[in-house]
Amino acid sequence: MDNRPIGVFDSGLGGLTAVKALRRLLPGEDIVYFGDTGRIPYGTRSRETIIKYADQDIRFLQTFDVKMIVVACGTVSSMLNVTPGFQVNVPYTGVLVPAAQAACVLSSGGKIGVIGTQATIRSGEFGRIIRGIRPEAQVFGNACPLLVPIVEAGLVQPDNPIAREAVAMYLAPLKEAGIDTLVLGCTHYPLLYDVINAYLDYQVTLVDSGSEVARYVRGYLASHNLLNSQSSGGSFDFYVSDQVDGFIKTAEFFLGEAISQQVSQVDIDRI
């Protein structure tokens, strides 16, 4: 058994959907979360900048002696997949492979849609991984740059006209293509699950990347004898790179529970 914490990071708040899933599946695990709220969004940055930020984020989490790092950001996950030589000295996973594997299993006809940030879709990594598992699969991707700010503004209700209009604009070509499965390739997007599901007439299987990475982490820790010795009562520690006030309210919305722990601001550029 291993009682060290799990480290999770994201460019902002989206990774909290992965934290929520980890909390549900592994209630005894301690979690250290870093949200790089001072430099969001990553999705419009260059590959070099994203890798630089990811390296700083990972080095910060490693100061807590974490036993595993979860890159709960589709943008960073896609960049690390195509960066030869990028190494982390503890086990780590991004969201791409777990979500792609789930999509390949769940897709009935091999017509798989992927939505994510501009950087994620531009990388083509979801398509490469999916076709590596199911060579016959057809993959249809679309970048959805407005969905992250819509989610962080809390405009996620099924009847919200802004959310519905944005989802319809981005998903129209995928719906027209006849996809049977859709990967929510950014961990913000599960907050729009009901809006997306309704637009697709409840006929498309949705793959929540945050939930899938949490399942992967549970399996990895169990198979490598790294689970926490306690079965409940795991702790949270939250760190952000910008002001904490706005983070708390939005984080409670993402997690569906109150945050009693103190949220700390860090100067990530000093790491």
Side-chain angles (χ1 to χ4, degrees):
M1 312 302 281
D2 191 328
N3 290 345
R4 291 178 298 165
I6 300 168
V8 183
F9 80 90
D10 183 50
S11 59
L13 295 163
L16 291 171
T17 60
V19 170
K20 182 178 181 179
L22 285 167
R23 184 75 159 175
R24 183 178 67 251
L25 296 177
L26 296 167
E29 296 292 338
D30 298 332
I31 297 173
V32 178
Y33 181 83
F34 173 66
D36 197 1
T37 51
R39 301 190 296 198
I40 194 173
Y42 282 14
T44 58
R45 310 280 188 176
S46 69
R47 176 176 170 275
E48 292 73 21
T49 297
I50 293 168
I51 294 302
K52 172 189 172 184
Y53 289 175
D55 181 62
Q56 291 175 322
D57 300 346
I58 289 169
R59 284 193 284 116
F60 172 68
L61 288 176
Q62 287 178 318
T63 65
F64 296 90
D65 190 28
V66 294
K67 61 186 174 186
M68 187 173 190
I69 289 177
V70 178
V71 184
C73 175
T75 299
V76 175
S77 299
S78 63
M79 293 297 105
L80 294 187
N81 267 28
V82 293
T83 305
F86 190 91
Q87 295 183 339
V88 182
N89 61 10
V90 296
Y92 81 101
T93 180
V95 298
L96 265 71
V97 172
Q101 289 174 333
C104 289
V105 170
L106 295 169
S107 176
S108 59
K111 299 188 78 170
I112 300 172
V114 178
I115 54 175
T117 66
Q118 292 171 330
T120 297
I121 299 303
R122 187 170 59 242
S123 76
E125 278 300 283
F126 263 118
R128 185 188 67 80
I129 296 168
I130 290 169
R131 284 187 289 269
I133 301 168
R134 286 185 66 167
E136 83 286 2
Q138 294 176 272
V139 183
F140 306 86
N142 205 15
C144 307
L146 292 179
L147 294 190
V148 167
I150 285 173
V151 169
E152 297 209 350
L155 307 177
V156 299
Q157 300 78 12
D159 60 349
N160 185 281
I162 296 174
R164 292 174 64 181
E165 184 68 24
V167 164
M169 175 178 66
Y170 290 132
L171 293 187
L174 305 186
K175 186 176 183 179
E176 185 177 346
I179 61 170
D180 59 64
T181 302
L182 177 67
V183 177
L184 308 182
C186 171
T187 46
H188 280 77
Y189 298 171
L191 274 295
L192 290 167
Y193 191 100
D194 292 339
V195 181
I196 293 169
N197 209 8
Y199 176 74
L200 295 173
D201 303 317
Y202 306 98
Q203 299 299 308
V204 175
T205 300
L206 304 185
V207 177
D208 177 341
S209 55
S211 293
E212 295 306 327
V213 78
R215 290 189 184 96
Y216 174 86
V217 170
R218 179 179 61 178
Y220 184 93
L221 295 181
S223 64
H224 290 78
N225 198 31
L226 292 173
L227 288 170
N228 197 300
S229 60
Q230 60 186 18
S231 59
S232 62
S235 67
F236 282 143
D237 285 303
F238 298 101
Y239 297 87
V240 293
S241 56
D242 202 356
Q243 296 181 356
V244 304
D245 295 344
F247 173 84
I248 295 173
K249 181 179 179 180
T250 309
E252 290 180 340
F253 167 65
F254 271 66
L255 292 170
E257 62 179 279
I259 296 177
S260 58
Q261 298 85 347
Q262 181 177 353
V263 179
S264 303
Q265 183 178 349
V266 299
D267 185 352
I268 195 65
D269 285 321
R270 291 181 176 271
I271 303 301

